[in-house]
Amino acid sequence: MSIVDNRKAFHDYFIEEQLEAGLVLEGWEVKAIRAGRVQLKESYVIYRDGAFYLFGCHITPLQSASTHVKPDPTRNRKLLLKQQEISRLIGKVERAGYTMVALNLHYSKGNIKADIGLAKGKKQHDKRESEKEREWQREKQRLMRNKG
């Protein structure tokens, strides 16, 4: 069950591989995500100190957040991956010129998980090409609907 999608990632990048990762969250963040107050638009994944972190994800705190906790809406959140996956991804990101982006947040067995994607950047003409393809698919559907 999806909470929020990062549609901009599919527009800006060729997604070559997807992985599911857990997130280290605080209590107020879980409540805010369940209320749908999260944004992934400008977020990406960085490697630092032997782990991957979700950078740029904005979680707006609820008004009823705890009084003794100072919420930081844009803090870096650690991603939980197996060591084997981490070492494989490091190689691709550092040597092959890939970028890692957050694709969506969703529930999995009651836990909040993130789908991250290994991506290559699109050039401007690639973006126009995919936009033309999407428009043609819509037009084709419209023609088939009107014909029948």
Side-chain angles (χ1 to χ4, degrees):
M1 194 170 117
S2 183
I3 301 168
V4 64
D5 289 322
N6 186 358
R7 292 190 300 253
K8 192 170 193 274
F10 289 97
H11 182 262
D12 291 343
Y13 300 99
F14 292 114
I15 308 298
E16 299 198 5
E17 186 179 336
Q18 290 188 22
L19 289 163
E20 184 179 68
L23 284 163
V24 177
L25 297 171
E26 295 176 357
W28 69 268
E29 292 173 326
V30 174
K31 286 182 179 181
I33 290 172
R34 289 187 188 278
R37 298 173 66 119
V38 62
Q39 185 175 1
L40 285 178
K41 195 175 236 176
E42 299 294 325
S43 64
Y44 55 95
V45 178
I46 56 174
Y47 178 74
R48 188 182 307 146
D49 302 329
F52 283 103
Y53 290 89
L54 182 60
F55 182 82
C57 173
H58 192 279
I59 300 175
T60 308
L62 297 170
Q63 293 296 325
S64 60
S66 178
T67 55
H68 62 279
V69 175
K70 297 283 186 241
D72 180 13
T74 57
R75 76 177 183 90
N76 296 345
R77 293 160 182 95
K78 186 175 181 181
L79 293 173
L80 303 172
L81 292 164
K82 293 184 177 167
Q83 192 61 45
Q84 182 180 352
E85 290 175 333
I86 290 174
S87 57
R88 185 175 58 81
L89 291 172
I90 291 169
K92 288 196 173 184
V93 169
E94 291 182 351
R95 284 189 288 280
Y98 284 95
T99 305
M100 294 194 53
V101 292
L103 301 176
N104 76 6
L105 291 179
H106 61 275
Y107 297 115
S108 176
K109 299 178 186 170
N111 297 323
I112 297 172
K113 304 278 185 173
D115 274 344
I116 56 175
L118 204 57
K120 276 252 198 251
K122 280 187 182 179
K123 302 281 191 273
Q124 188 64 37
H125 64 273
D126 293 328
K127 292 178 189 178
R128 284 194 291 267
E129 186 72 31
S130 58
E131 184 66 31
K132 283 180 188 174
E133 181 64 31
R134 193 166 36 246
E135 289 294 325
W136 168 238
Q137 293 298 331
R138 277 194 205 129
E139 187 65 29
K140 212 164 42 171
Q141 288 293 330
R142 198 175 299 125
L143 289 171
M144 293 300 284
R145 212 177 314 119
N146 291 340
K147 188 177 182 182

